[in-house]
Amino acid sequence: MNKTNLSFDINVFVSSKQLYRIEVTENYEGDKFHCVVFDSSVLKEEHIDTQGFETEKEVFEFVRGLHND
């Protein structure tokens, strides 16, 4: 049986002028969870950050941190 790696997007609505999209990919580029953050509040999405994490908890803390910035 083949192992399936997860891949999904998280949209973080901070305000009407601040919206992020985070692409989360499991087991990518040496990271257990690889997160790429885009600023979706501009007309053409802009890459603003890339982070790697070892646990789901770290991913959710990172997402919560974007909301609090």
Side-chain angles (χ1 to χ4, degrees):
M1 178 180 217
N2 291 337
K3 181 178 177 182
T4 302
N5 292 323
L6 293 175
S7 179
F8 57 92
D9 290 358
I10 300 172
N11 293 306
V12 180
F13 178 82
V14 178
S15 70
S16 61
K17 295 184 178 181
Q18 192 173 11
L19 174 66
Y20 299 110
R21 183 174 63 84
I22 306 163
E23 294 179 352
V24 181
T25 306
E26 185 180 31
N27 298 318
Y28 185 73
E29 292 191 358
D31 300 322
K32 176 66 177 161
F33 297 99
H34 187 84
C35 298
V36 182
V37 183
F38 296 92
D39 182 349
S40 294
S41 58
V42 294
L43 186 58
K44 183 179 178 190
E45 270 191 342
E46 295 178 8
H47 171 264
I48 58 171
D49 197 7
T50 300
Q51 298 278 333
F53 301 100
E54 290 302 313
T55 67
E56 298 90 337
K57 181 179 179 181
E58 291 174 325
V59 173
F60 281 98
E61 287 173 355
F62 176 69
V63 171
R64 285 186 184 102
L66 287 173
H67 194 273
N68 295 325
D69 283 348

